[in-house]
Amino acid sequence: MLRRNSPQRLFSTVGEYRSATYAPLRPWQVRGRRFAVTWRGLDPDEVGAFLDRVAHDLTGVYAELARSREENQRIKDALRRWQSSQAPSMRDLARR
């Protein structure tokens, strides 16, 4: 069981070590984020536009990451097939 302030580290899906309490932002989380408005606060429309832009960029990054993982798996599978075809069979080794 992991406690909230546990120093234990987990391997994230993007290849970096992160704490157990860290969760990468998703586009819908960025779009849904709201900030308190103060008397001299930020322009809510400007903040919303920026968050939409960040969320859009995150969507693209996650899509590219998925494509890269698929390509990586395809290359690994092709390499395994090639290595298997190049490796001597047990019969070939027995003849030696």
Side-chain angles (χ1 to χ4, degrees):
M1 180 172 139
L2 295 175
R3 292 186 319 225
R4 188 161 186 77
N5 295 325
S6 172
Q8 182 176 356
R9 310 287 274 181
L10 297 178
F11 191 79
S12 76
T13 58
V14 291
E16 299 174 3
Y17 284 95
R18 307 238 176 174
S19 71
T21 57
Y22 177 85
L25 284 175
R26 299 291 181 203
W28 63 268
Q29 291 171 311
V30 174
R31 285 189 183 99
R33 179 71 166 103
R34 298 294 173 249
F35 298 92
V37 178
T38 61
W39 179 59
R40 290 185 162 188
L42 302 171
D43 177 13
D45 294 333
E46 191 175 338
V47 171
F50 177 76
L51 291 177
D52 283 341
R53 181 178 174 188
V54 171
H56 177 73
D57 290 350
L58 276 176
T59 301
V61 167
Y62 282 120
E64 185 60 33
L65 179 61
R67 281 192 293 274
S68 294
R69 286 183 175 151
E70 288 171 5
E71 178 71 4
N72 187 20
Q73 190 60 48
R74 188 189 66 74
I75 291 170
K76 284 180 180 181
D77 292 342
L79 177 61
R80 283 187 195 105
R81 285 191 306 273
W82 181 83
Q83 286 173 329
S84 295
S85 72
Q86 298 300 312
S89 69
M90 293 303 287
R91 286 187 188 138
D92 294 338
L93 291 174
R95 288 184 205 151
R96 291 182 185 181

